[in-house]
Amino acid sequence: MEIASVQELIDAGVHFGCRVARRNPRMEPYIYGRRNMIHIIDLRETLKGILRAQNLLYHMAAEGSSILWVGTKRQIKGVILEAGERTGMPVVTERWIGGTLTNFSVIRSRLRRLEELERMEEDGSINEGSKKMGATLRREKRKITRNLGGIREMSTIPGAMVVVDPAREYNAVREARKLGIVVIGILDTDCDPSEMDIVIPGNDDALKSARLMVEQLVGAVEEGSANHREALAAAEVAEHHEEEATFEGEPRPTRAIRPIPEMVTSEGGEAAPEASAEAPAEEPAAEAAPAAEEAPAEAPAEEAPQEEPAAEEAPSEDEASKE
């Protein structure tokens, strides 16, 4: 994460505060001095606040939490919209609708109504009624899009909220504090820092100053989101390897198919099925063994030569004496 240098902050005019008459007494620790009835902000405190906010936003984005960007000043709207597009996070650039966080279920119902009106406009059913009804529905769609279009992808309560000029967005700050959401404030010398969890003192009126401070936070969110995506991809690859390892060296289980037993006619003439599918498989093996053993014994018998006629018997001793 890169952090701006003091010279870059000075070039952007971050050190210029409000007029002395508008000073909030609680901002005294963040004021360096005054010049020509204008307070000068201590840039050391600005850098300290930016660094703390970067570390927090990086870890929250790496864990998958969403960040809500809030800024309704005319000169700040473009900066907030750009931050939301770069990070893919919800933004609020129009009037803060009461209950956006504390009554989130009602806000979701209005967003469902917006989706319904968009479907009606796509299929042409919005023109089926009278012209006055069609104009009323289109006006309702434009109003919901203007007020809630930036948070239509926000399905849960955000983990943190970045507010530019909390004195103007006091309703948003109160709702976030009530729900325990971390509030990061980019505030001038006329704001109350006691409502902020992390204070970034700086000029919140000038476009160049606000853009520089917001970009510092956007970079941290982008890095955290990139690490979160890499962690999810690594988890998917590891899970895939585990599934393959379960079958490594082992055949995949297959379903055994048993043969259909044939019908065999018994001696009595009645048809009876053969024994079981397992019995025929064992009987041929039992019969084959003796056959294999008898084969060598019969072969020599067939090849043996025919027996010669028996030799004449030798004369006995009595016959020899007579002779």
Side-chain angles (χ1 to χ4, degrees):
M1 291 179 291
E2 297 181 358
I3 186 168
S5 63
V6 174
Q7 188 60 45
E8 290 177 346
L9 297 177
I10 293 175
D11 294 339
V14 177
H15 60 293
F16 290 117
C18 296
R19 296 183 64 84
V20 175
R22 297 174 55 188
R23 175 185 64 91
N24 190 309
R26 295 179 178 176
M27 284 294 295
E28 190 67 30
Y30 307 99
I31 297 176
Y32 179 77
R34 66 179 185 178
R35 183 179 181 184
N36 297 329
M37 303 301 294
I38 294 177
H39 279 298
I40 304 299
I41 296 173
D42 190 352
L43 294 181
R44 292 174 298 182
E45 298 293 334
T46 303
L47 292 175
K48 188 186 300 183
I50 290 174
L51 186 59
R52 292 180 59 198
Q54 283 181 337
N55 292 332
L56 175 66
L57 294 178
Y58 172 81
H59 287 95
M60 296 195 74
E63 294 174 358
S65 300
S66 61
I67 314 298
L68 178 62
W69 305 86
V70 181
T72 60
K73 283 184 176 181
R74 182 175 299 178
Q75 66 271 27
I76 306 299
K77 289 181 181 180
V79 177
I80 298 299
L81 287 174
E82 183 180 353
E85 291 175 359
R86 288 178 56 183
T87 59
M89 303 293 180
V91 299
V92 175
T93 57
E94 298 295 333
R95 183 177 68 89
W96 179 270
I97 304 298
T100 300
L101 297 178
T102 55
N103 200 8
F104 191 65
S105 59
V106 175
I107 298 299
R108 291 303 307 171
S109 67
R110 297 303 298 163
L111 291 174
R112 287 192 293 270
R113 173 62 174 170
L114 174 61
E115 296 174 357
E116 180 183 356
L117 293 173
E118 289 176 346
R119 287 194 300 269
M120 292 175 63
E121 191 172 14
E122 290 177 0
D123 58 20
S125 59
I126 197 172
N127 299 320
E128 293 180 356
S130 61
K131 291 183 178 179
K132 182 178 180 180
M133 180 59 66
T136 302
L137 294 177
R138 290 190 182 89
R139 185 166 56 252
E140 181 184 1
K141 174 179 171 293
R142 288 195 299 269
K143 183 178 179 181
I144 299 175
T145 303
R146 182 178 64 253
N147 294 331
L148 304 177
I151 61 173
R152 64 183 307 170
E153 302 297 334
M154 187 175 69
S155 58
T156 58
I157 299 297
M161 183 170 65
V162 179
V163 184
V164 180
D165 192 3
R168 181 184 178 92
E169 316 297 341
Y170 59 91
N171 284 332
V173 174
R174 288 178 181 177
E175 292 188 18
R177 298 283 295 179
K178 187 175 182 179
L179 296 178
I181 299 173
V182 179
V183 181
I184 301 172
I186 298 176
L187 65 168
D188 214 326
T189 55
D190 60 341
C191 299
D192 184 5
S194 63
E195 298 292 332
M196 305 293 106
D197 295 298
I198 297 178
V199 178
I200 303 178
N203 186 359
D204 59 9
D205 295 321
L207 174 60
K208 190 175 181 180
S209 171
R211 184 185 297 276
L212 177 61
M213 290 185 285
V214 169
E215 286 180 352
Q216 297 294 308
L217 306 183
V218 168
V221 176
E222 287 179 334
E223 291 185 16
S225 299
N227 288 347
H228 179 64
R229 290 191 294 269
E230 291 178 1
L232 292 179
E236 291 180 359
V237 172
E239 184 179 356
H240 180 66
H241 287 321
E242 288 179 2
E243 291 179 356
E244 291 183 348
T246 55
F247 296 103
E248 186 177 356
E250 299 180 2
R252 293 181 178 269
T254 56
R255 183 179 178 183
I257 301 176
R258 298 180 61 183
I260 300 175
E262 298 180 358
M263 302 300 292
V264 180
T265 306
S266 60
E267 296 178 357
E270 297 179 358
E274 292 184 352
S276 60
E278 297 177 357
E282 295 177 357
E283 289 177 359
E287 296 175 1
E293 295 176 357
E294 294 175 359
E298 293 177 356
E302 295 177 357
E303 295 177 359
Q306 297 180 356
E307 297 181 358
E308 295 180 359
E312 297 180 356
E313 296 180 357
S316 61
E317 294 180 358
D318 296 335
E319 294 179 353
S321 60
K322 289 180 181 181
E323 293 177 358

